[in-house]
Amino acid sequence: MNKSKERFAGLTLLKSSERNYPTCPEEARLETFQNLYADRDYIIEFDCPEYTSLCPVTGQPDFGHITVRYVPDKSCIESKSLKLYLYSFRNSNTFHEESVNTILNAVVAACAPRRAEVIGRFRPRGGIAINVTARYGGKIDE
């Protein structure tokens, strides 16, 4: 197997044209690939303006904007797997604070970054907007 094929061998979702969406975060998985620039710090940012989940009490839909930022170490998160992972919250009953921390835990478990943060900016319901930031390994400065 050549180096390129070896490097991407674990990326099953990106290669797949099938759209078999996970129904919950526990069913979804984040895939990673080797970071070729692990000798330096740099920031990767995913901007996800169409996040949805359900209120665990009322079952009403919640809409938010999720930003995932991290400084990778040995591996990077593949973006399609992140898209499918975030999509899996669509029918999940969760509070905003829980979803942001759950996403951060999944990012850390998948790629063991040097630092990471997940920011959730949720649309107002009942006149109150909720913004949540969860961090791992310290603040990411630019």
Side-chain angles (χ1 to χ4, degrees):
M1 186 181 278
N2 69 34
K3 282 192 182 243
S4 178
K5 284 188 180 186
E6 264 180 45
R7 185 168 169 236
F8 304 124
L11 298 179
T12 61
L13 296 172
L14 184 59
K15 291 188 246 181
S16 174
S17 61
E18 178 184 337
R19 283 183 235 121
N20 186 11
Y21 295 116
T23 58
C24 63
E26 298 77 24
E27 209 180 88
R29 72 181 185 282
L30 291 174
E31 293 186 341
T32 63
F33 59 92
Q34 179 187 4
N35 177 13
L36 295 180
Y37 303 99
D39 59 328
R40 68 175 72 132
D41 280 356
Y42 64 98
I43 300 166
I44 297 173
E45 180 173 312
F46 293 108
D47 186 42
C48 313
E50 298 176 348
Y51 173 87
T52 59
S53 62
L54 300 172
C55 174
V57 177
T58 66
Q60 292 180 328
D62 287 316
F63 301 93
H65 186 145
I66 299 291
T67 303
V68 176
R69 301 175 75 225
Y70 69 101
V71 177
D73 192 19
K74 292 182 173 48
S75 59
C76 299
I77 293 186
E78 191 280 313
S79 62
K80 183 177 180 182
S81 73
L82 178 64
K83 175 184 79 168
L84 294 174
Y85 177 75
L86 293 176
Y87 183 89
S88 75
F89 283 85
R90 183 177 189 146
N91 295 312
S92 293
N93 297 74
T94 183
F95 286 115
H96 302 323
E97 299 84 351
E98 294 169 349
S99 63
V100 168
N101 280 282
T102 298
I103 295 165
L104 178 64
N105 288 346
V107 167
V108 170
C111 71
R114 294 178 183 145
R115 291 183 302 286
E117 68 183 17
V118 175
I119 302 162
R121 293 179 188 89
F122 298 92
R123 303 295 180 266
R125 253 197 320 118
I128 297 175
I130 298 175
N131 298 312
V132 181
T133 300
R135 290 191 178 103
Y136 166 82
K139 190 172 181 176
I140 297 175
D141 293 321
E142 290 195 54

